[in-house]
Amino acid sequence: MYSVQTSIKMERITKYFPEISVLPENQVGLFEMTRLRSFFLALIQFCLILFVVTKYNFEKSSGVIDYAQYLLVVFVLHSFISIRFRPAFLFLCCVILLYVVFGILAGSFMIGTGLSLILICHLPIKFNFRLCLVLLIALMLAIFRTEFIYVPWMTIAIMYLAPLFMFRLIVYLYEIKTGYLPANKWQSISYFFLFPNIFFLFFPIIDYKTAIKNYYQAPEREIWQKGIRWMVRGLIHLLCYRFICLTVLISQESVQDLPSLLHYMAVNYSLILHISAIFHFIIGMICMFGFNLPQVFDNYFAAISFVDLWRRINIYWRDFVLKVFFYPIMFMYKKRVKKNLLTITMMTVFVITWLLHSYQLFWISGRFSIKLNDVIFWLIIGATITINSIVVERNSLLGKVDTINKESVPYYFISMGKMLGMLVFMSLMWSLWYSRTLEDWFFILSKGGSFTSNQLLIIVIVLLSILVMGVLVKLVLRNEFINKLIYRKPHETLVLTLFSLSILALFSFKEVQSVLPKKSQILFADLMNGSPNLVEKDNAEAGYYDLLIEGDEENTIGIGGKSLKSFMRKRPYTNAYVLTNDIMYRKMKPNLKINGIDHNFESNAFGMRDKNYSVDKPAGTYRIALLGGSYQMGSGVNNDQVFEAIVEERINKDDIDSSIRLVEIFNFSAGGYYLLQQVELVNTTVFKYDMDGAIYFAHTGERTKVIHFFANSIKRELPINYPFLKNIQKLSGAKSYMSLMQIRELLLPYGDTIMKWGYKEIAEKCKANNVVPIWGYMETTTEYVDENEFNELKAYAESLGFVTLDLRDTYGKIDRKDVQLSEWNTHPNVLGQKLIADKFYSELMKNKNKIFKIK
Amino acid sequence: MSVEINQVKETVKTYIVERFLKNTNDKQLTNSTPLISGGLIDSILTMQLVVFLEEQFKVEFQAHEVDVDNLDSIDIIAAFVLKKLNG
């Protein structure tokens, strides 16, 4: 009786899912005891994972934490509905998420465009016409993505829609072209609208055939446990990544000799753990919904050759490239090219791989970057893998045999040596890829020439130790018991995952952490916090993957926390400036009115982010020029929320002085303005408006910022009209053809001199125009005040006759995160601006008598 | 051309062992051993295998046919080659 029922059910399922060849146990009985037991085991672990994810702030910006409960509900409901409806249910869940996150307009646009693209793939017209239609839509979306036509909600919608389609649509069209037609339309739709993709824009390329063929192609409990195992692995990789960032990560600027160069390169390559963490987590999450997907990374650090690395690193990418490009290109050339077929194919494939990386970056970040170091990186990687492949092919064709026993100690030494070689090679390549420019990379490599014999000895000892340790590990792994223990199939790992999750969950409680030594407790707290440190942020500016995973200040990615809002905030500035070929570098366009999604940006007739003022000063008016950067301009908030506007209004309301009828604060600040631009403004613009006072705002790291800006000006060959600066450039030996890092290093000894010159210029010009020079020190939301620097700068400003305003301790005991726009865009938010306004006002009032003196 | 399935299996097996597995300790190649998904042969060796099959059995492969569905084990290869031969 049972078997008859089973076969009827099987028949029903194959009607909807022809690929399923075994009856999933959930269809035998959704509420059967054995299934319920497996389900609860998976549910407990999934709950623990989401608990750990929340407690350890796993990829905060992604939104997994914000929508953890939603994920849990989706998992439970999905597990108890008939398999027939599951793909449609997954699509529905994605639709709900899109509407909740992006609203009706953007959500509808994303769903409508997505469904239209799928529909076009199936139109009853010639394949090439369908392809053209898809390309046409892609082109239109690309125009909006470049913000050539700027519609804020559409920019965001495309940014989040593109990752669902940018690769999967290529795969899907390929399958249709080659005759693999999907039998179930809901499976196709849910293949595109994979809802973890909304959280993670940088997503592994899921193969359509693999997804369909592996849908419930194993007992459900096994797929669940596999998913859990991978999510746990992802969490562990992420903690390793954070540990590295917190303890051993150094910036390119810290590289001074061979040991620090090797340190930098090795640590930089190990940051690939971040990608591996996220990809494992994603694939694990997809497994929880029945897709029994294969592994995405396979011990890439253990690669012993270039081909081996290609086989192990980002397997989904490799499979995609092989399927859609490598084999078709090889077959295309096969009959035409008699010689070097493999070389031509491989090199073509690597050029495509490089372009696809740029293509991916474009859709997610909106930038299409073709950097020389990217080209060289892919060229070298492509060439090495090609050469290695040719050797493999030749050896195979010649029937060459390795006589050495692969289970012998000498072979272990050889393979460990190869592995070490690959690690060194990839570290070197990664440092190239993660360099801002090729010159920067050559510059840090040149530091490798500096070493002592002792350092060299230590390096050799370290490398040999790694070699010997690797061999020892291999010997230990020869033991069958240990081998079996380690190399378990993912679904056989219940004890391991449950144990790991319990430990992680336990240690998320402060009471449990207190058993650790004090130092470890602090480290653990940082590990759990997960906020990127300064070096990480610095790396993100140059790092390809960092840009895709979390973005940077310019390009916040993710729907979690404040990330999406921050992205919306950033957009108004895209077209707010015009580049100038002088030391100002850029100027704000006048009379702008840009409506962002949640804040607006307006500039006045003078090209300032401020209201309109008359050129001639009305009688009884006291005018102050405010000179600053993005903080003072109010990046990320409305015009009327900027502290300058708040203070101006308050001063006028409070009627601070009977002789002053009106106070006007002209906000000359703009994003990216530093001391040298303020000097230029003072020399060219500020005093045209009959000022009474001029405030220059300093920040933490004043000297470094001046050097960085001056170095950029030299690199960009901007004309420098100040003899003093020209002389400094000459004395330092900095030239525009040098790498930016080298220019900065050469200018470093002159930081103090340049800074003092700038202050003096502002003070002297103010005095010459009978204007009160005012110096303000503003605390940033990220760096704590360097008291020594503050005291030095203040003393120097006072010696030049500046009235000084101390805006330290602006945020009091408020958590800095509460005053930042987001984790990556740390400009003050509305609350931050309010607090700055309070502090600024109180400092102005403290110095009222020195400042408000009508001429 | 009349070819027996066992003949195909034997030819393919001999080729794989001679070409790809000679320098490994894995002599336990069965007709169902996963070749591609098991990591025994990679993309380059897969292409060599395809070229061999095309020459040996006078069949022609399409690019999209080079995948685990058609080449993952000796059994699968033999079935696929026979399907090709039989049109």
Side-chain angles (χ1 to χ4, degrees):
Chain A
M1 185 63 194
Y2 179 81
S3 63
V4 174
Q5 274 183 353
T6 308
S7 100
I8 294 168
K9 282 177 178 172
M10 190 67 222
E11 220 171 274
R12 272 192 217 144
I13 286 170
T14 42
K15 190 178 154 197
Y16 294 101
F17 307 101
E19 302 292 348
I20 298 181
S21 56
V22 288
L23 184 67
E25 55 203 47
N26 54 9
Q27 290 303 303
V28 177
L30 285 173
F31 295 96
E32 266 202 4
M33 212 47 205
T34 45
R35 180 175 191 265
L36 284 180
R37 204 178 300 142
S38 312
F39 167 75
F40 279 115
L41 268 175
L43 181 67
I44 289 166
Q45 292 188 87
F46 198 29
C47 285
L48 272 172
I49 285 174
L50 293 173
F51 176 77
V52 170
V53 159
T54 310
K55 283 286 189 179
Y56 285 75
N57 292 302
F58 178 87
E59 295 303 307
K60 247 182 294 184
S61 59
S62 71
V64 174
I65 298 173
D66 306 61
Y67 297 93
Q69 287 149 334
Y70 179 71
L71 279 170
L72 210 57
V73 171
V74 171
F75 172 67
V76 174
L77 292 177
H78 180 267
S79 306
F80 286 97
I81 57 172
S82 165
I83 192 168
R84 256 178 71 186
F85 303 114
R86 288 186 186 189
F89 177 74
L90 281 182
F91 170 62
L92 179 73
C93 294
C94 190
V95 167
I96 293 170
L97 192 64
L98 290 175
Y99 277 126
V100 169
V101 175
F102 300 101
I104 297 287
L105 185 64
S108 302
F109 172 80
M110 292 163 88
I111 296 156
T113 313
L115 290 176
S116 307
L117 283 167
I118 302 171
L119 189 71
I120 289 170
C121 296
H122 295 283
L123 284 178
I125 51 174
K126 274 188 178 175
F127 180 81
N128 286 346
F129 289 141
R130 283 180 266 167
L131 191 64
C132 287
L133 277 175
V134 168
L135 287 175
L136 194 69
I137 291 183
L139 183 72
M140 273 157 40
L141 295 176
I143 291 170
F144 283 100
R145 187 68 191 93
T146 54
E147 294 174 17
F148 183 70
I149 302 171
Y150 179 60
V151 183
W153 65 264
M154 209 185 256
T155 304
I156 294 165
I158 296 169
M159 178 182 172
Y160 284 83
L161 175 73
L164 308 182
F165 285 84
M166 63 184 172
F167 289 120
R168 295 207 281 277
L169 197 60
I170 299 175
V171 178
Y172 194 67
L173 283 166
Y174 176 86
E175 297 295 4
I176 289 177
K177 169 87 178 153
T178 55
Y180 184 78
L181 285 168
N184 183 321
K185 62 177 179 296
W186 289 110
Q187 261 187 312
S188 292
I189 294 171
S190 68
Y191 165 72
F192 285 104
F193 287 91
L194 273 175
F195 71 93
N197 210 165
I198 311 293
F199 302 119
F200 302 98
L201 300 192
F202 179 46
F203 206 76
I205 306 177
I206 312 283
D207 182 60
Y208 180 68
K209 217 172 184 177
T210 311
I212 301 300
K213 282 187 181 289
N214 288 300
Y215 191 61
Y216 287 110
Q217 273 304 29
E220 204 176 22
R221 62 175 190 284
E222 286 187 14
I223 308 177
W224 281 335
Q225 185 54 34
K226 190 179 184 182
I228 298 283
R229 156 82 183 257
W230 280 343
M231 283 193 276
V232 171
R233 188 185 279 188
L235 289 174
I236 291 167
H237 282 197
L238 185 83
L239 289 179
C240 293
Y241 164 78
R242 282 188 187 167
F243 181 78
I244 291 169
C245 287
L246 286 169
T247 54
V248 287
L249 181 65
I250 58 168
S251 66
Q252 277 193 340
E253 282 76 12
S254 315
V255 174
Q256 290 304 326
D257 51 18
L258 184 63
S260 58
L261 174 66
L262 293 176
H263 175 167
Y264 166 75
M265 290 197 315
V267 171
N268 200 36
Y269 180 45
S270 68
L271 298 184
I272 196 175
L273 276 167
H274 196 189
I275 307 164
S276 144
I278 290 171
F279 276 23
H280 274 103
F281 193 83
I282 292 169
I283 298 298
M285 203 194 278
I286 298 174
C287 282
M288 299 307 284
F289 300 100
F291 295 94
N292 187 21
L293 296 175
Q295 65 179 347
V296 67
F297 282 99
D298 179 19
N299 298 318
Y300 41 88
F301 289 139
I304 56 167
S305 69
F306 301 107
V307 171
D308 193 27
L309 182 82
W310 179 236
R311 204 181 286 146
R312 290 166 180 268
I313 207 164
N314 200 349
I315 297 166
Y316 285 30
W317 180 280
R318 184 209 58 189
D319 287 349
F320 163 72
V321 167
L322 281 179
K323 178 180 192 162
V324 181
F325 299 103
F326 179 80
Y327 291 128
I329 291 171
M330 199 140 194
F331 272 76
M332 192 172 78
Y333 287 150
K334 208 169 69 168
K335 284 176 189 162
R336 297 179 213 164
V337 182
K338 294 291 163 208
K339 266 185 176 180
N340 302 322
L341 175 64
L342 187 60
T343 313
I344 294 166
T345 311
M346 291 286 277
M347 289 316 285
T348 316
V349 164
F350 276 98
V351 169
I352 292 169
T353 300
W354 159 56
L355 288 172
L356 285 175
H357 276 80
S358 292
Y359 164 84
Q360 177 170 244
L361 187 72
F362 166 74
W363 285 111
I364 296 179
S365 77
R367 307 175 191 181
F368 194 81
S369 121
I370 294 187
K371 290 198 300 185
L372 192 59
N373 43 343
D374 280 0
V375 180
I376 295 176
F377 173 82
W378 285 111
L379 204 69
I380 296 176
I381 293 285
T384 48
I385 295 176
T386 305
I387 293 167
N388 197 174
S389 306
I390 292 166
V391 172
V392 171
E393 189 190 38
R394 286 224 175 118
N395 286 348
S396 163
L397 288 172
L398 295 170
K400 276 196 179 174
V401 179
D402 266 347
T403 47
I404 192 160
N405 176 7
K406 286 195 171 173
E407 295 303 324
S408 65
V409 175
Y411 181 78
Y412 289 166
F413 270 103
I414 293 170
S415 65
M416 277 309 298
K418 285 181 179 176
M419 195 182 103
L420 215 52
M422 279 308 298
L423 282 174
V424 173
F425 174 79
M426 280 312 291
S427 303
L428 184 72
M429 287 292 93
W430 219 253
S431 68
L432 165 66
W433 206 20
Y434 270 60
S435 290
R436 282 180 197 86
T437 61
L438 196 59
E439 294 103 312
D440 274 358
W441 187 61
F442 282 128
F443 179 65
I444 63 158
L445 286 192
S446 72
K447 302 274 185 179
S450 158
F451 55 85
T452 62
S453 50
N454 274 352
Q455 286 175 332
L456 204 60
L457 189 69
I458 292 170
I459 291 166
V460 173
I461 291 171
V462 169
L463 289 175
L464 283 175
S465 309
I466 297 172
L467 193 77
V468 172
M469 269 166 57
V471 173
L472 288 174
V473 169
K474 280 189 169 262
L475 283 170
V476 170
L477 288 177
R478 265 210 314 212
N479 181 300
E480 212 170 306
F481 175 73
I482 296 172
N483 200 298
K484 268 192 179 168
L485 204 67
I486 290 175
Y487 296 111
R488 281 170 175 269
K489 285 184 179 160
H491 64 268
E492 295 168 347
T493 53
L494 175 68
V495 178
L496 187 75
T497 51
L498 209 50
F499 175 75
S500 312
L501 285 169
S502 307
I503 292 288
L504 287 173
L506 269 176
F507 271 89
S508 69
F509 294 102
K510 285 222 162 79
E511 295 75 13
V512 181
Q513 284 171 29
S514 63
V515 300
L516 297 169
K518 194 79 195 156
K519 250 187 165 176
S520 308
Q521 279 183 42
I522 297 168
L523 179 67
F524 207 84
D526 287 338
L527 267 181
M528 286 182 65
N529 178 11
S531 288
N533 59 29
L534 290 176
V535 184
E536 249 182 295
K537 285 186 178 180
D538 196 39
N539 275 2
E541 279 178 32
Y544 175 82
Y545 289 122
D546 298 273
L547 271 175
L548 294 181
I549 295 170
E550 290 186 276
D552 57 10
E553 192 188 301
E554 293 287 322
N555 191 63
T556 316
I557 286 172
I559 58 168
K562 297 182 266 183
S563 301
L564 191 63
K565 282 187 179 161
S566 172
F567 175 82
M568 294 170 181
R569 284 194 178 101
K570 190 70 202 169
R571 294 300 101 183
Y573 311 113
T574 312
N575 299 313
Y577 295 98
V578 61
L579 292 182
T580 60
N581 188 35
D582 58 25
I583 202 159
M584 291 305 292
Y585 179 54
R586 61 182 188 175
K587 278 182 181 164
M588 199 180 286
K589 292 177 191 169
N591 299 317
L592 274 178
K593 196 166 182 176
I594 305 173
N595 297 322
I597 283 188
D598 71 343
H599 89 286
N600 303 327
F601 182 98
E602 288 171 37
S603 68
N604 65 16
F606 305 143
M608 297 173 202
R609 193 179 185 199
D610 213 330
K611 60 185 178 195
N612 276 310
Y613 300 103
S614 58
V615 178
D616 297 325
K617 186 166 68 178
T621 301
Y622 186 86
R623 277 187 171 174
I624 310 176
L626 196 147
L627 305 165
S630 52
Y631 262 62
Q632 289 74 23
M633 185 199 73
S635 183
V637 296
N638 283 333
N639 275 34
D640 60 351
Q641 289 165 334
V642 182
F643 76 91
E644 170 269 323
I646 299 172
V647 169
E648 188 185 60
E649 196 187 330
R650 194 165 159 191
I651 289 177
N652 288 317
K653 215 191 247 170
D654 288 358
D655 193 14
I656 54 157
D657 193 308
S658 55
S659 63
I660 299 172
R661 205 172 56 82
L662 186 69
V663 172
E664 291 179 342
I665 305 177
F666 279 47
N667 196 349
F668 286 91
S669 314
Y673 276 15
Y674 299 99
L675 180 60
L676 299 187
Q677 285 137 308
Q678 315 300 2
V679 170
E680 177 75 358
L681 275 174
V682 163
N683 275 298
T684 58
T685 319
V686 170
F687 301 120
K688 282 181 194 166
Y689 304 102
D690 193 8
M691 291 294 160
D692 299 289
I695 307 175
Y696 167 73
F697 270 106
H699 292 280
T700 320
E702 185 84 332
R703 294 174 182 84
T704 320
K705 280 166 187 152
V706 169
I707 288 170
H708 281 203
F709 180 75
F710 190 29
N712 281 339
S713 307
I714 295 172
K715 184 75 195 158
R716 289 190 179 116
E717 296 182 334
L718 297 177
I720 296 161
N721 299 323
Y722 295 94
F724 170 83
L725 293 177
K726 272 187 186 169
N727 194 34
I728 291 284
Q729 186 186 347
K730 200 173 161 192
L731 284 171
S732 68
K735 300 272 188 310
S736 60
Y737 62 78
M738 291 173 174
S739 89
L740 196 58
M741 280 177 71
Q742 192 175 3
I743 299 174
R744 283 177 184 177
E745 200 172 283
L746 291 168
L747 291 175
L748 200 63
Y750 303 94
D752 196 54
T753 320
I754 303 171
M755 188 272 298
K756 283 182 172 166
W757 169 81
Y759 276 30
K760 212 172 159 191
E761 276 283 305
I762 295 174
E764 281 176 359
K765 290 287 165 322
C766 283
K767 277 176 201 160
N769 287 281
N770 196 19
V771 166
V772 182
I774 308 159
W775 174 89
Y777 187 89
M778 190 176 275
E779 186 183 358
T780 61
T781 64
T782 48
E783 298 142 326
Y784 284 90
V785 174
D786 178 345
E787 295 297 332
N788 286 338
E789 188 195 36
F790 169 76
N791 290 330
E792 271 179 50
L793 294 176
K794 187 175 178 240
Y796 185 65
E798 279 171 349
S799 75
L800 294 170
F802 278 99
V803 176
T804 57
L805 308 179
D806 178 3
L807 271 74
R808 289 178 301 167
D809 199 27
T810 296
Y811 312 112
K813 284 184 180 156
I814 294 175
D815 190 336
R816 299 300 178 95
K817 282 177 203 143
D818 294 336
V819 292
Q820 296 170 349
L821 289 172
S822 78
E823 200 168 48
W824 286 85
N825 187 346
T826 55
H827 286 101
N829 56 16
V830 176
L831 174 64
Q833 289 285 347
K834 262 188 200 159
L835 293 169
I836 297 172
D838 290 343
K839 189 77 181 172
F840 182 42
Y841 182 79
S842 94
E843 280 297 302
L844 281 175
M845 290 307 106
K846 245 193 237 172
N847 295 282
K848 197 168 89 171
N849 297 333
K850 292 184 213 165
I851 297 171
F852 295 100
K853 294 179 287 186
I854 291 251
K855 278 190 265 187
Chain B
M1 185 167 63
S2 159
V3 183
E4 286 284 318
I5 190 151
N6 286 339
Q7 230 180 304
V8 179
K9 284 182 188 176
E10 208 44 52
T11 314
V12 174
K13 189 171 185 175
T14 311
Y15 175 80
I16 290 171
V17 170
E18 283 294 306
R19 268 287 146 75
F20 311 143
L21 302 181
K22 216 172 179 179
N23 52 357
T24 70
N25 290 338
D26 193 355
K27 298 286 178 197
Q28 300 298 313
L29 179 72
T30 67
N31 288 351
S32 58
T33 305
L35 299 170
I36 300 173
S37 58
L40 281 180
I41 59 172
D42 62 15
S43 50
I44 295 149
L45 301 185
T46 306
M47 270 313 288
Q48 282 186 24
L49 176 64
V50 168
V51 172
F52 166 77
L53 294 173
E54 285 186 330
E55 284 170 1
Q56 185 71 27
F57 299 105
K58 307 283 177 253
V59 289
E60 199 172 327
F61 273 71
Q62 300 294 314
H64 67 272
E65 290 169 339
V66 187
D67 69 2
V68 277
D69 287 352
N70 304 321
L71 298 166
D72 203 30
S73 70
I74 293 168
D75 280 338
I76 295 172
I77 295 169
F80 186 67
V81 167
L82 276 190
K83 199 174 126 193
K84 284 242 157 209
L85 285 171
N86 297 331

